[in-house]
Amino acid sequence: MKIAVFVSGGGTNLQAIIDNTKTGILKDIEIVLVLSSSPSAYALTRAADNGIPSVVMRAADYPSREQWDSEMAECVQKSGAELIVLAGYLSLLGPKTVSMYSNRIINIHPALIPSFCGAGMYGIKPHKAALARGVKVSGATVHFVNENYDDGPILLQKSVDVLPGDTPETLQKRIMQECEWKILPKAIRLIADGKVSIENNIAYVTE
Ligand code: GRF
């Protein structure tokens, strides 16, 4: 299966996918495109280091959001990608891209949706909110993407205990290492194997 990975920052989730295509559970998966919302994203360096074509598409660089959305949809379609993976991608997708890839876009969110998600809840913020609320577990969620933030059917979740003395930074690192970098590749595997179905906005995995 061919996938496009959308990024905005460090690209550690992209790296986890790359590593799994080389020596892990994604050997038959081809990353045909990395699309970044920022020209300075280190994820672009990770793509270049692995010979993966990349493109920067910032809504601000286009006359309108509609044109940005249309050109994004066309760019991904031309790449041959069958699945879009949002990996640390911070922009809301446009309706044309979402409808062209209906139920074929997944996102990794660094909290257990529906907790600590929605507009503005990205990066370190979900972890700060989790510690401020005093939750005893947190984790990450892979969900299908629609036109709203963090709103589509939940596919996979993985939790970790919140430990005494945790800071937002230590919690974020543990969730990335023990949750994000594991369930995002696993979600791609399940979809590639045709083991995922969606009914009434609920995602089901058939092992
Ligand atoms: C991660 O916490 C991810 O869950 C969130 O963005 C952060 C950075 O991801 N979506 P990455 O290192 O750019 O993959």
Side-chain angles (χ1 to χ4, degrees):
M1 182 174 70
K2 295 181 177 180
I3 68 173
V5 182
F6 285 26
V7 298
S8 295
T12 63
N13 280 283
L14 168 65
Q15 191 64 55
I17 297 168
I18 290 169
D19 295 345
N20 274 281
T21 63
K22 290 179 176 175
T23 59
I25 60 172
L26 300 179
K27 289 194 183 74
D28 59 334
I29 304 297
E30 181 187 0
I31 306 171
V32 293
L33 178 68
V34 167
L35 186 150
S36 179
S37 63
S38 163
S40 60
Y42 186 70
L44 291 169
T45 301
R46 297 180 192 270
D49 290 349
N50 289 278
I52 300 169
S54 64
V55 65
V56 176
M57 295 191 83
R58 284 184 299 193
D61 294 342
Y62 291 79
S64 70
R65 186 170 164 78
E66 289 71 25
Q67 189 167 338
W68 166 77
D69 183 21
S70 295
E71 293 198 21
M72 179 178 285
E74 185 180 349
C75 176
V76 181
Q77 192 178 39
K78 280 182 179 172
S79 75
E82 301 157 77
L83 176 71
I84 295 175
V85 179
L86 308 187
Y89 184 71
L90 298 179
S91 299
L92 200 57
L93 294 178
K96 187 161 187 177
T97 303
V98 171
S99 60
M100 181 179 285
Y101 280 86
S102 178
N103 289 334
R104 293 190 296 145
I105 308 172
I106 58 174
N107 179 51
I108 180 81
H109 181 73
L112 298 174
I113 288 176
S115 296
F116 315 119
C117 66
M121 271 293 173
Y122 58 86
I124 200 74
K125 293 177 184 173
H127 308 295
K128 282 184 176 175
L131 292 176
R133 184 64 184 82
V135 297
K136 304 312 174 191
V137 295
S138 190
T141 302
V142 177
H143 63 93
F144 286 95
V145 170
N146 56 31
E147 289 171 31
N148 307 313
Y149 281 115
D150 305 326
D151 184 42
I154 291 169
L155 176 53
L156 293 176
Q157 294 186 302
K158 192 171 191 311
S159 67
V160 293
D161 291 339
V162 176
L163 302 177
D166 256 333
T167 64
E169 290 73 19
T170 60
L171 182 58
Q172 177 182 48
K173 186 174 181 182
R174 189 158 66 254
I175 287 174
M176 289 174 97
Q177 289 174 331
E178 298 184 23
C179 304
E180 297 179 33
W181 302 343
K182 290 185 165 59
I183 63 175
L184 191 54
K186 183 177 178 182
I188 297 166
R189 179 74 271 145
L190 289 170
I191 293 168
D193 292 345
K195 293 185 176 177
V196 177
S197 60
I198 297 175
E199 293 167 40
N200 300 324
N201 212 40
I202 305 283
Y204 297 93
V205 175
T206 51
E207 285 297 351

